[in-house]
Amino acid sequence: MSLTQRSHSESYWGNSGQNGHTGNGIGSKLDSFMDKRELPMYKDKPYSYAASRRNKPFYRWWRVISGATLVLLGLAYWFGLFAPVAVQPTARGATKSAWNWLSRQEVSVDWDDRREKVKEAFMLSWDGYEKYAWGNDVYHPNSKEGIQMTSKGLGWIIVDALDTLMIMNLTSRLSHAREWMSTSLDYSQDHEVNTFETTIRMLGGLLSAHYLSTAFPDMAPLTDDDQGAPGEDLYLEKAADLADRILGAFNSESGVPYASVNLKTSEGKTSHVDAGASSTAEAASLQLEFKYLAMLTGEKNFWDKAEKVMQVIDDNGMEDGLLPIFIYATTGTFRGENIRLGSRGDSYYEYLIKQYLQTSEEEPVYQDMWNQSLAGVRKHLITYSTESHFTVLGERPDGLGGKLYPKMDHLVCFMPGTIALGATGGLTVEEAKRVGKWGEKEEDEMNLAIELTKTCWGMYKVTATGLAPEIAHFQIEDPAHMESDGILASKEMTDDPDAKWRQDYIIKANDHHNLQRPETVETLFYMWRITGNVMYREWGWEMFESFVKYTAADEGAGFTSLASVVEIPPMLRDNMESFWLAETLKYFYLLFSPNDLLPLDSIVINTEAHIFPRFKLARGLKTGWERKPRDALGSIIPPAKTEQKENEKLSVPAGKIHTIKVEEAGQIPLVADGTL
């Protein structure tokens, strides 16, 4: 990504679309439902990009207007009118016959039928893209146009959605996607791309497609990828080619990847913002993809490059396993003290436990790191709202010694599901108890997951549309009541529009928008699979109904993000994110599917919802590093001090040997396998 592109990547969203269709008619295709080259937004960066522009009146009396400008600007700022502008609202309450299921009272729940509704929403989205923007990387469903990010395109939407097409058994659409890939997808382009986004979406999508097409041949079966067919290895060949090009991003002085990479030259580029630092989440969320590719190809270089990043990060010895959100690729050291699990921090933590599970629990160093970080989250970041005691996972912009801010990006809502996954390893709670993998620690973690899930659900329930804002703030005590001060039980979320619990949520003017994000339904999927509580399915269905009711573009062109979730009818933006197809609808579909479809204890899912298998260490692949000794706070013990401790233990006279306690040693002892 060039300097010009990165510097304009946000302003692009305020200037890209054309006037959308704003009439009340939904159009014939929607009626049948249910019966500039710029980068798309980054997955882990919640900024407020403006919606599609609309026609504005032109005034000739510019002198009069200029005289009133200062007053108007002041009023606009005061009332939050600098929040993103949107196309004229479309009334979504007036639906035609095909949408009547939205208002029908179900006599009994048919989860197979609900799953089919999700599939139909995906088909509507895909078909709109196929009709109006086929092969383009960006799709604007209201203006019905597409845009390429590069001269030839990267397959941003097509590749990201491959495995969803397979899981939903959409064979003809998958065949069209493969045809485009085999004839048009070429990564040899002199263009800079974001290392992280290209890895999780494109490389992850290709690897997931390879896995599903080989391990589950009955999923959207095509003869093109049958064993012995000319296109048998299309997905893997494209993945290996792309990975070779991305690999240059890791060629920094420290081994931490550069923020961007040129696909033609494989040359890494420092970030053009943030003083050249890479995002911590971006640098440390490439490991599942490159390690799986190393297992498939036997090319250990993929493994070594990805693994080195984890060692460099861990060797910083950050207190309680909580990391600042920026890291320099040049030095491998952190920039600033801002600690959060929202944008730029999130998937680092997600990939800790998932790396442990990916290699069938044969790399305990990552479980160790996960346990340390989760304990740090509970110690420093968990607090409670004032009225209803909802569990809040806050931020510390000024480091662990600074003030706790009760702010939660929607991105943070990946965390409850990940906590549940870490507690059971993908087993159900009952299975974990039966095989002896359940104790007080797991019980406490599951309770935390349950309460955080409820908080995330409240972000949907509190708005007029039933859809979450990009960011929510909370009312908390001052000083904040921390988990160590005593866990507080949350109160019930009633449907009363005047209920006091709603006052705990604060949605600011610039945070009203909804970008079709998947994190909450992702968590609901994990919570349903692991706990078996049907409540999580019901919450998911309510969310899906709201998406269908309020985000459909006109004339069956797909679905779009919203400028505001707090008003009805909502204001529409003009963009359909690739992760709407790759993640959000996929998780809805899996939530309503039988549990034996992709069982959790046999797979790991990357941060873009791409499916990888778990595997045993083989082909010379192994953990190539160890954690440095830590003290009780997790800080690294200097080598000289460690050697002194060892010498003291060795020099104890015979008959005077005694057991060194943790308090005396000043560190947590390591057991044989390296765990704490």
Side-chain angles (χ1 to χ4, degrees), residues 470-640:
E470 179 71 354
I471 299 170
H473 296 254
F474 297 84
Q475 302 278 7
I476 64 169
E477 300 289 346
D478 187 14
H481 183 104
M482 306 301 291
E483 187 183 88
S484 59
D485 298 324
I487 297 175
L488 301 179
S490 62
K491 297 179 181 179
E492 180 184 1
M493 287 182 178
T494 65
D495 293 330
D496 182 356
D498 298 319
K500 286 188 176 181
W501 69 263
R502 298 176 183 273
Q503 299 173 14
D504 290 30
Y505 289 82
I506 302 169
I507 305 174
K508 298 184 178 180
N510 284 333
D511 303 331
H512 285 179
H513 51 292
N514 178 284
L515 303 179
Q516 304 175 302
R517 289 202 186 274
E519 289 78 20
T520 298
V521 67
E522 171 187 352
T523 273
L524 295 180
F525 163 68
Y526 281 112
M527 295 300 289
W528 156 247
R529 287 282 186 96
I530 291 170
T531 70
N533 190 335
V534 74
M535 170 183 71
Y536 298 118
R537 276 183 144 183
E538 294 291 356
W539 288 358
W541 179 246
E542 288 187 43
M543 288 167 52
F544 176 70
E545 285 185 306
S546 294
F547 273 117
V548 170
K549 186 174 183 179
Y550 294 115
T551 72
D554 289 320
E555 300 179 20
F559 294 85
T560 182
S561 48
L562 298 181
S564 176
V565 297
V566 299
E567 56 190 68
I568 295 177
M571 309 278 288
L572 302 181
R573 292 173 181 264
D574 190 12
N575 193 62
M576 190 175 80
E577 296 291 348
S578 77
F579 51 70
W580 168 251
L581 302 175
E583 298 188 76
T584 307
L585 290 176
K586 181 187 295 163
Y587 278 124
F588 276 125
Y589 188 81
L590 291 174
L591 176 62
F592 304 144
S593 294
N595 290 355
D596 59 0
L597 175 60
L598 302 173
L600 282 182
D601 59 353
S602 64
I603 61 170
V604 289
I605 305 176
N606 88 336
T607 196
E608 187 74 6
H610 294 310
I611 316 295
F612 303 154
R614 300 190 188 188
F615 57 85
K616 296 278 188 180
L617 292 177
R619 308 183 75 174
L621 303 177
K622 61 180 180 180
T623 311
W625 67 285
E626 295 180 355
R627 301 192 80 189
K628 294 180 178 179
R630 260 92 172 152
D631 61 21
L633 291 178
S635 300
I636 293 174
I637 300 174

Side-chain angles (χ1 to χ4, degrees), residues 213-289:
S213 65
T214 54
F216 303 94
D218 291 334
M219 282 187 178
L222 296 175
T223 57
D224 292 345
D225 57 17
D226 286 350
Q227 188 171 1
E232 174 187 2
D233 295 322
L234 175 66
Y235 304 128
L236 184 56
E237 288 171 354
K238 292 289 186 183
D241 173 63
L242 178 59
D244 282 336
R245 299 174 186 279
I246 296 173
L247 210 58
F250 293 86
N251 293 334
S252 66
E253 292 91 332
S254 70
V256 171
Y258 291 111
S260 302
V261 63
N262 183 292
L263 287 178
K264 188 175 183 65
T265 65
S266 191
E267 181 182 359
K269 300 288 185 179
T270 56
S271 173
H272 301 297
V273 293
D274 306 316
S278 298
S279 156
T280 301
E282 292 186 359
S285 303
L286 315 169
Q287 286 66 31
L288 295 182
E289 295 79 8

Side-chain angles (χ1 to χ4, degrees), residues 1-36:
M1 163 174 40
S2 68
L3 174 61
T4 300
Q5 287 167 327
R6 186 179 288 276
S7 65
H8 291 297
S9 61
E10 293 185 20
S11 63
Y12 160 74
W13 290 109
N15 301 292
S16 61
Q18 304 299 324
N19 289 337
H21 298 265
T22 57
N24 291 332
I26 296 179
S28 59
K29 187 166 185 179
L30 196 59
D31 204 18
S32 65
F33 178 64
M34 304 295 183
D35 197 37
K36 331 152 180 163

Side-chain angles (χ1 to χ4, degrees), residues 29-313:
K29 187 166 185 179
L30 196 59
D31 204 18
S32 65
F33 178 64
M34 304 295 183
D35 197 37
K36 331 152 180 163
R37 300 171 187 148
E38 297 286 351
L39 292 168
M41 65 156 292
Y42 297 147
K43 180 177 184 290
D44 81 329
K45 300 175 187 173
Y47 49 73
S48 299
Y49 63 80
S52 301
R53 61 177 178 263
R54 55 185 172 186
N55 293 329
K56 295 176 180 160
F58 177 76
Y59 296 96
R60 294 187 176 181
W61 310 283
W62 57 273
R63 292 178 181 174
V64 177
I65 291 178
S66 62
T69 295
L70 290 177
V71 175
L72 292 175
L73 286 175
L75 290 172
Y77 181 82
W78 179 260
F79 288 105
L81 296 181
F82 288 127
V85 181
V87 299
Q88 293 288 351
T90 299
R92 295 301 176 199
T95 60
K96 296 190 177 183
S97 59
W99 295 78
N100 286 343
W101 63 268
L102 284 169
S103 58
R104 277 202 310 264
Q105 190 71 33
E106 291 180 303
V107 177
S108 61
V109 174
D110 184 339
W111 291 108
D112 289 339
D113 180 66
R114 289 183 171 184
R115 180 174 70 159
E116 286 303 303
K117 296 291 193 295
V118 176
K119 183 176 179 178
E120 290 166 5
F122 178 93
M123 290 190 293
L124 189 75
S125 303
W126 178 269
D127 292 350
Y129 165 73
E130 191 174 44
K131 179 176 181 180
Y132 298 112
W134 181 246
N136 282 277
D137 297 320
V138 179
Y139 176 43
H140 301 305
N142 287 331
S143 54
K144 298 179 177 59
E145 64 178 5
I147 299 173
Q148 293 289 31
M149 291 160 46
T150 66
S151 58
K152 300 178 184 178
L154 297 172
W156 208 253
I157 291 176
I158 293 174
V159 173
D160 215 7
L162 286 173
D163 55 358
T164 310
L165 289 165
M166 293 177 180
I167 291 168
M168 294 184 179
N169 204 35
L170 296 173
T171 308
S172 63
R173 293 169 177 84
L174 177 63
S175 179
H176 191 196
R178 271 186 62 98
E179 178 187 7
W180 180 88
M181 288 176 57
S182 63
T183 59
S184 302
L185 184 58
D186 179 9
Y187 288 120
S188 181
Q189 302 184 52
D190 189 9
H191 195 93
E192 289 180 34
V193 297
N194 179 272
T195 303
F196 165 73
E197 297 290 353
T198 305
T199 298
I200 65 167
R201 301 195 200 204
M202 299 297 94
L203 183 58
L206 291 166
L207 290 173
S208 182
H210 171 77
Y211 168 57
L212 295 181
S213 65
T214 54
F216 303 94
D218 291 334
M219 282 187 178
L222 296 175
T223 57
D224 292 345
D225 57 17
D226 286 350
Q227 188 171 1
E232 174 187 2
D233 295 322
L234 175 66
Y235 304 128
L236 184 56
E237 288 171 354
K238 292 289 186 183
D241 173 63
L242 178 59
D244 282 336
R245 299 174 186 279
I246 296 173
L247 210 58
F250 293 86
N251 293 334
S252 66
E253 292 91 332
S254 70
V256 171
Y258 291 111
S260 302
V261 63
N262 183 292
L263 287 178
K264 188 175 183 65
T265 65
S266 191
E267 181 182 359
K269 300 288 185 179
T270 56
S271 173
H272 301 297
V273 293
D274 306 316
S278 298
S279 156
T280 301
E282 292 186 359
S285 303
L286 315 169
Q287 286 66 31
L288 295 182
E289 295 79 8
F290 277 93
K291 290 170 83 170
Y292 178 38
L293 183 59
M295 191 279 292
L296 287 172
T297 63
E299 295 188 28
K300 192 170 181 292
N301 194 35
F302 292 138
W303 182 283
D304 293 341
K305 292 287 189 180
E307 182 183 64
K308 176 65 174 177
V309 181
M310 304 307 298
Q311 180 181 10
V312 173
I313 286 175

